[in-house]
Amino acid sequence: MTAGAGLIAVPTIVPASVFGPKAPSNCINIGAIGTGRISRDHDMPGVWKYDDVRIIAAADVDTNRVADAKLLIENYYSKKLGKPYTGVTTYQHYEELLANKDVDAVLISTPDHWHAKNAIDAVRAGKDVYLQKPTSLTIEEGRRMSDAVYASGRILQIGSQQRSMEQFRVACELVRNGRIGQLQRIEIRLPGDPPGGNTEEMPVPANLDYDKWLGPTPFVYYTEERVHPQQGYGRPGWLRCEQFGAGMITGWGAHHFDIAHWAMDKEYSGPVEISGKAEFATDGLWNVHGVYETEMLYDNGVIVTGTTDSKEKPNGVLFTGSEGWIFVSRGAYAASANDPISTRSEALQASDPKILSPLTDNDPVRLYVSTDHHGNWLESVRTRKMNITPAEVAHRSCTACLLQHIAMKLDRKLYWDPATESFKNDNEANAMISRPQRSAYDF
C-alpha cells in the first residue's frame, strides 16, 4: 500500500499520533468515483468509519457534486480528529483519479451504465474495487468485467450488502440444510418504478460534463430528470431510463436474485429457461419496466419467479419447499434515505417457528459469515482473500436479472446455456446480450 501523506495539505508528513495507532502509511487510501446519493449515504460512510482507511480523493463529472463530496469527507475527518483536515483531492474525470498512485482502492458509485467500464479501468490501473450493484447493463459487459478482474489479480466486491445481513445468511443456511424439505420454488418480490419524467430539452449545466456522463451509451439531449437533480441528492431519474439502467429487475433484483443463487448453491451458474412479461410506459421520459412477472427454471428443478411486491406479497424472498416455507427481507433497513417506497415486513419468518431454530450438528452447511459488507471488502483488500461477493458471483447474479429483462422485452420463453452464456438457437435474443458502444468510450 502507498502512503497518502503527500495529499494532505498541512502538514505534509503526518505523524502516527494524528490518527492514533494507525499511521497514514498503514492506511488503505481510497478514492470515491461517483459522489451522488448512494456514495454519500452508503458507500463513503461504510468505509470512513474504519481507522485504517482514508478517503483521499473523489471524482465526479458534476463539479458541484465533487466539491460537496470534498466538504463532506473533510468535515467528517475534522470532527473525528478534532482538528481541521484538508486531505481530499478532487477530479472531474475518474481516469485522473486512477492515475493517482497514492490511491490503493476505489468506491465506484456511478450510474449503472458506467459500472463495468469503471471497474475494468480501475483494476487495470492496479486498484482494488468496491462496485455498486448491478455489475453491468448488459451480460457481455459483465463477462468482460469479471474476466478483467481475475486477469488483474485485484480485489473486487459488489455492493450486494444483503449477504452481510444475518437474516439472509441464516435463511440460505436453513434452506441448504433442508429445513423446508426439498426446495421447490423461490419467489422474488421487488418494488416498482412509476412512469413519468419531464421530456423537455434543457441547457446542459456548466458544472456537468454531460458527454462524459453519457459515456458508452448513445447521445440523447439533456434534461434534468434524465440525469440527477441539480439541487440536493434525491433519487435520480437515470434509474428509470433504460439507456442507463434496466429498472428494478437489476436495481433491487441484483440483491434478491443473488440471495436465491446463494440458497441454491448456484452462484456460478444460472437458469436454463426464462420467460417474462411486463408493462412498459408508452409516453414520458422514464421507460423502465413497471408491473412485471417472470419465471426461471434452474437445472436442479427449482423454479424462481419474479413479481412486483404488494401489501399481500411484501418485498423479499420466499423459499418454498416440500415441508414448509421461509420468508426473508430487509425488515426496516434502508441503504439510503431516498430508497424507493416498498412494502416492508418482518426480516425472517417461517411456516413453522421450529424451522428457524438455531443450526445444530445435524445441519452441516455453513455459509461465509460477514457482518459488515464494506468491512468485509476492506479485510479482503488487506489479506487478499476472497470476499463474500466477488466478481464472478456478482456477474452471475446480474445475468439472471438481465435474462429476465430480455424475456420481458421478447415476451416468450428463452433457453439459456449458463456454460457458454448464450441463448440456444435464438439470434434475436443473443443480439440483446450486448449493446453498441460510442467509439470514444468503447471498452
Side-chain angles (χ1 to χ4, degrees), residues 139-157:
I139 294 169
E140 181 197 39
E141 291 172 6
R143 168 47 53 213
R144 294 174 68 179
M145 181 278 298
S146 183
D147 288 349
V149 171
Y150 284 96
S152 72
R154 306 314 302 175
I155 297 294
L156 182 143
Q157 176 167 300

Side-chain angles (χ1 to χ4, degrees), residues 272-406:
V272 294
E273 295 180 10
I274 311 100
S275 59
K277 58 183 179 179
E279 296 177 3
F280 290 92
T282 56
D283 55 16
L285 182 70
W286 299 330
N287 59 355
V288 295
H289 71 86
V291 175
Y292 81 103
E293 291 182 4
T294 59
E295 182 174 295
M296 298 188 291
L297 174 67
Y298 284 71
D299 63 6
N300 57 2
V302 176
I303 293 173
V304 180
T305 65
T307 187
T308 309
D309 67 6
S310 64
K311 184 176 180 180
E312 293 74 27
K313 293 186 174 184
N315 184 316
V317 184
L318 175 66
F319 301 99
T320 302
S322 57
E323 299 175 22
W325 56 263
I326 293 172
F327 178 78
V328 62
S329 76
R330 294 185 181 184
Y333 167 87
S336 165
N338 292 298
D339 269 6
I341 296 173
S342 182
T343 305
R344 301 188 184 275
S345 62
E346 292 180 34
L348 189 61
Q349 305 171 54
S351 53
D352 184 335
K354 293 179 181 178
I355 291 173
L356 302 181
S357 59
L359 297 175
T360 70
D361 291 342
N362 294 323
D363 301 305
V365 178
R366 298 293 190 277
L367 299 177
Y368 191 131
V369 177
S370 166
T371 58
D372 183 291
H373 207 61
H374 290 93
N376 177 259
W377 172 62
L378 293 169
E379 184 63 19
S380 184
V381 170
R382 296 183 196 101
T383 65
R384 316 313 292 174
K385 294 180 180 179
M386 185 176 288
N387 57 69
I388 196 167
T389 51
E392 184 65 18
V393 168
H395 165 60
R396 295 291 181 161
S397 297
C398 184
T399 294
C401 301
L402 292 169
L403 289 171
Q404 292 170 88
H405 188 248
I406 293 172

